[in-house]
Amino acid sequence: MPSTGAPDVGSRSSQLTRAPARPPDVRFEPSPPEVVDAMLRLAAVGPDDVVFDLGCGDGRIVIAAVAELGARRGVCVEIDPALVARARHAARRAGVEERIDFVEGDLFAADLSDATVVALFLFPDVNLRLRPRLLGQLAPGTRVVSHEHDMGDWRPEKVVEVGGHRIYLWTIPPRDEPPP
């Protein structure tokens, strides 16, 4: 998180035993606070934004967007119910739970149409599988920011390095342009 460090996710959520509906596409690996900050700055998150994090883990990216940068709303999409509980707990502690929707479900089934910013920290093959959904559901001008992994031949507009971590930025093109 920008300036405040990682959210305190508590230990109660680790007591949950319900398994995800299917195995997650990636294992949970939290983005360091300086990477979260850089992702949100690169995507130019502001008060008019609705920030989605697909595979949100403990929710730190969306929580930072809402709590620190004043994003209008956030949406955490996560298939693991224990991580959804951790994200909800962290949002409650940050005082922003009422401005974040928590979707326990498959990131490939989520309705992305409200997003103005989408954050990702997935694997390269997952990014590539997700790319057609991003291009098909997101409005032109929506920013997509990814920690560590690119989108194949879709060239990013910007790439920055923070503490040895690479961050990519794309903007959804106008509908009359050929897809990247």
Side-chain angles (χ1 to χ4, degrees), residues 33-108:
E34 63 274 11
V35 171
V36 171
D37 182 46
M39 289 175 77
L40 296 173
R41 277 187 288 112
L42 187 61
V45 171
D48 294 328
D49 284 313
V50 177
V51 179
F52 277 57
D53 187 354
L54 304 182
C56 74
D58 63 9
R60 65 183 57 207
I61 293 172
V62 170
I63 293 167
V66 172
E68 307 266 337
L69 299 175
R72 181 167 43 99
R73 191 165 64 87
V75 179
C76 289
V77 179
E78 175 59 57
I79 199 165
D80 186 335
L83 289 172
V84 172
R86 286 174 66 177
R88 188 182 308 276
H89 177 74
R92 188 175 310 119
R93 289 185 56 97
V96 294
E97 182 181 24
E98 71 285 347
R99 291 181 34 218
I100 298 175
D101 295 325
F102 299 88
V103 178
E104 181 184 319
D106 187 331
L107 60 91
F108 290 103

Side-chain angles (χ1 to χ4, degrees), residues 4-170:
T4 61
D8 178 3
V9 295
S11 60
R12 280 182 260 161
S13 62
S14 64
Q15 297 169 5
L16 297 177
T17 58
R18 190 164 50 96
R22 67 168 180 79
D25 293 292
V26 298
R27 72 181 181 288
F28 173 53
E29 183 179 334
S31 297
E34 63 274 11
V35 171
V36 171
D37 182 46
M39 289 175 77
L40 296 173
R41 277 187 288 112
L42 187 61
V45 171
D48 294 328
D49 284 313
V50 177
V51 179
F52 277 57
D53 187 354
L54 304 182
C56 74
D58 63 9
R60 65 183 57 207
I61 293 172
V62 170
I63 293 167
V66 172
E68 307 266 337
L69 299 175
R72 181 167 43 99
R73 191 165 64 87
V75 179
C76 289
V77 179
E78 175 59 57
I79 199 165
D80 186 335
L83 289 172
V84 172
R86 286 174 66 177
R88 188 182 308 276
H89 177 74
R92 188 175 310 119
R93 289 185 56 97
V96 294
E97 182 181 24
E98 71 285 347
R99 291 181 34 218
I100 298 175
D101 295 325
F102 299 88
V103 178
E104 181 184 319
D106 187 331
L107 60 91
F108 290 103
D111 177 2
L112 309 176
S113 59
D114 287 343
T116 60
V117 174
V118 175
L120 308 170
F121 185 17
L122 304 169
F123 290 150
D125 65 306
V126 180
N127 277 6
L128 289 177
R129 287 185 3 234
L130 189 59
R131 182 173 142 182
R133 288 184 55 79
L134 298 172
L135 291 166
Q137 284 194 17
L138 298 174
T142 301
R143 287 99 62 207
V144 178
V145 62
S146 177
H147 175 189
E148 257 351 298
H149 305 294
D150 65 14
M151 296 270 186
D153 61 354
W154 184 11
R155 297 185 60 149
E157 292 169 39
K158 292 183 183 176
V159 180
V160 299
E161 297 241 357
V162 175
H165 298 267
R166 190 166 284 169
I167 303 166
Y168 299 87
L169 174 72
W170 302 266

